[in-house]
Amino acid sequence: MTAAVAPRKPLTRTRLIGFIAMGFCAVGYAGFALALGAGKLEYLPMTQAAIIAAVAAVIGEIGLWVGAGCLGLTLFKKRKALFDRVMGRKPAPSEV
């Protein structure tokens, strides 16, 4: 009997770091929007809201770059392995 659901891919360290970083990206940008919204609605002074929003935006941007780098690296490794199999090349020895 075959399984109806395909087995899940193992979550490697690089992919785990990438997904966590994308979570920080989402939280950072949401904090940015909330801080600016709180400043506009006058729950916070606008200068304080702008400082909080700037810090949150930097956290979001760092998460975006780290997440994109890690997840892009995993795609690059898979694509390189596919090309190696198709072209008949031996895979490079792993250093890990």
Side-chain angles (χ1 to χ4, degrees):
M1 177 153 71
T2 60
V5 178
R8 293 179 56 145
K9 288 189 263 183
L11 195 60
T12 63
R13 184 175 159 202
T14 306
R15 286 175 52 111
L16 182 65
I17 291 171
F19 285 125
I20 290 172
M22 290 307 259
F24 274 99
C25 172
V27 169
Y29 284 134
F32 168 76
L34 289 174
L36 283 183
K40 285 287 192 184
L41 295 174
E42 297 180 358
Y43 287 118
L44 292 173
M46 196 56 185
T47 55
Q48 185 179 5
I51 292 171
I52 294 170
V55 170
V58 167
I59 291 170
E61 193 70 21
I62 290 170
L64 176 68
W65 282 95
V66 171
C70 288
L71 295 175
L73 182 64
T74 60
L75 289 175
F76 173 76
K77 285 181 181 178
K78 281 191 241 176
R79 186 168 294 147
K80 185 174 181 325
L82 174 71
F83 284 147
D84 287 344
R85 279 195 311 268
V86 169
M87 299 296 182
R89 296 183 284 200
K90 290 185 178 182
S94 179
E95 296 177 9
V96 179

